[in-house]
Amino acid sequence: ETGVTQTPRHLVMGMTNKKSLKCEQHLGHNAMYWYKQSAKKPLELMFVYSLEERVENNSVPSRFSPECPNSSHLFLHLHTLQPEDSALYLCASSQDHQANYGYTFGSGTRLTVV
Amino acid sequence: AQKITQTQPGMFVQEKEAVTLDCTYDTSDPSYGLFWYKQPSSGEMIFLIYQGSYDQQNATEGRYSLNFQKARKSANLVISASQLGDSAMYFCAMREGLYTGGFKTIFGAGTRLFVKA
């Protein structure tokens, strides 16, 4: 059981749907991240939150909308997605000033857009 | 520009032998961290080992060691005494601005390791 929990594990949605991905950590970390992992491509950083403030937004389309209501929870709201958005979405957390511990990742949400 | 390069899409190793997974990186920042992660077929990314740019010694964690050659900008992962459970994707990653608030960790394309019985 990882310290970072992502739900749902699998999601199939139509292009007109609205859905949300949820990430939860109780490790006491103060930074959280969304990554996208597509087939045959390196992991792509999407969003970074530090102390509940967004500090990085990597030119992600507006159909992806992050939300960090507190240091333990991170959401990724999805609407009017495209088939090319199908991927594994990974959430991670870290303690900002303890880089040597790396990130703790969740198991991911496998998203399929039909 | 590609900042993390893993040139081996796939590697095979016999069980109980050692294997080296290559990683080169590119940065002009003097303070950075290098990481290796393992991703089994279940999808979860597992942090394995860390090397700071100012660290004098190569990092080791159990059967994992990092062969850090700063001048060559390489950070190869060595797995000793391979086990069947080591079969997975392995990602090299780098975080720049380690001591100046850098938040971004970027990943290489990964190397798939197959351990043969």
Side-chain angles (χ1 to χ4, degrees):
Chain A
E1 178 71 36
T2 177
V4 177
T5 304
Q6 287 188 245
T7 54
R9 289 296 306 272
H10 301 272
L11 178 63
V12 179
M13 60 185 287
M15 288 189 282
T16 58
N17 290 160
K18 286 186 181 181
K19 296 285 184 184
S20 295
L21 308 185
K22 180 182 177 182
C23 177
E24 188 172 352
Q25 61 92 7
H26 295 288
L27 300 168
H29 289 170
N30 59 8
M32 296 186 77
Y33 313 81
W34 279 116
Y35 278 87
K36 175 184 178 183
Q37 186 176 29
S38 306
K40 300 180 182 178
K41 290 177 72 174
L43 269 76
E44 301 170 62
L45 179 63
M46 300 177 72
F47 300 104
V48 180
Y49 276 84
S50 175
L51 299 170
E52 300 145 48
E53 180 183 337
R54 192 192 306 181
V55 296
E56 189 80 36
N57 176 359
N58 257 21
S59 302
V60 179
S62 60
R63 57 186 184 269
F64 295 92
S65 173
E67 179 190 2
C68 187
N70 55 61
S71 59
S72 299
H73 293 86
L74 184 66
F75 295 90
L76 188 63
H77 303 300
L78 317 171
H79 65 97
T80 58
L81 294 192
Q82 304 298 311
E84 60 264 29
D85 297 323
S86 298
L88 180 67
Y89 288 84
L90 289 164
C91 173
S93 69
S94 71
Q95 189 62 20
D96 264 354
H97 302 294
Q98 294 180 357
N100 53 321
Y101 288 104
Y103 291 176
T104 302
F105 280 86
S107 298
T109 294
R110 174 72 60 186
L111 174 67
T112 303
V113 181
V114 297
Chain B
Q2 187 81 338
K3 289 204 164 188
I4 300 283
T5 303
Q6 294 181 254
T7 57
Q8 307 152 314
M11 287 281 287
F12 288 85
V13 66
Q14 197 67 40
E15 193 179 10
K16 299 180 186 176
E17 293 185 350
V19 63
T20 298
L21 307 183
D22 295 342
C23 173
T24 58
Y25 60 92
D26 183 31
T27 182
S28 56
D29 193 321
S31 72
Y32 55 91
L34 297 159
F35 306 81
W36 278 91
Y37 288 84
K38 172 184 178 182
Q39 188 178 39
S41 55
S42 60
E44 180 187 341
M45 296 278 282
I46 302 166
F47 166 64
L48 296 178
I49 195 167
Y50 161 85
Q51 179 85 42
S53 58
Y54 296 121
D55 294 344
Q56 298 294 314
Q57 306 274 353
N58 283 349
T60 59
E61 288 287 346
R63 294 186 298 111
Y64 304 108
S65 60
L66 201 152
N67 184 1
F68 181 43
Q69 298 189 40
K70 194 170 182 176
R72 296 178 61 184
K73 294 188 175 177
S74 76
N76 297 341
L77 177 71
V78 180
I79 305 175
S80 63
S82 299
Q83 301 172 357
L84 295 177
D86 293 336
S87 294
M89 281 290 287
Y90 288 82
F91 293 94
C92 180
M94 177 176 66
R95 179 171 166 177
E96 296 172 299
L98 211 55
Y99 303 110
T100 55
F103 292 100
K104 192 188 283 195
T105 296
I106 56 172
F107 288 77
T111 295
R112 180 164 295 281
L113 178 66
F114 300 91
V115 180
K116 300 182 290 184

